[in-house]
Amino acid sequence: MAELEFFSHTGPDGAEIGERENNRNYRWSAVGENIAAGQSSVDAWLSSPGHCANIMSAEFTEMGAARIEAPGSQYSPFWTQVFARPR
């Protein structure tokens, strides 16, 4: 997202989180994603019902997170959390 200056759950190629995980040969039974942009912390996720539901979900057993600064971007910093349960 930072390289291409966009902000969306759908990639520029049209792929969403499930397809992106499949493309990386991760075999999942449940998968979810939180993204944020321009925030100094992830506190807003806890205030958002959908984002908080992902964070608190017992359905997910694994989580990865990343934050990246993109100087000059209208969206910086970018935040992503990916939640999953393997098969």
Side-chain angles (χ1 to χ4, degrees):
M1 289 187 288
E3 267 183 27
L4 299 177
E5 187 64 17
F6 80 101
F7 180 71
S8 176
H9 287 282
T10 304
D13 62 353
E16 294 191 0
I17 186 62
E19 186 176 350
R20 289 193 300 270
E21 293 305 309
N22 288 342
N23 290 343
R24 286 163 184 78
N25 295 319
Y26 181 87
R27 301 296 169 227
W28 52 273
S29 61
V31 66
E33 175 184 61
N34 286 349
I35 60 174
Q39 299 171 346
S40 60
S41 73
V42 295
D43 293 338
W45 280 340
L46 295 175
S47 300
S48 163
H51 293 107
C52 188
N54 277 344
I55 292 168
M56 302 300 183
S57 177
E59 186 175 19
F60 303 125
T61 59
E62 299 181 342
M63 187 272 297
R67 177 185 184 273
I68 186 170
E69 291 283 342
S73 170
Q74 66 179 327
Y75 301 112
S76 189
F78 292 84
W79 301 78
T80 302
Q81 278 183 308
V82 175
F83 304 90
R85 175 184 293 268
R87 283 190 208 158

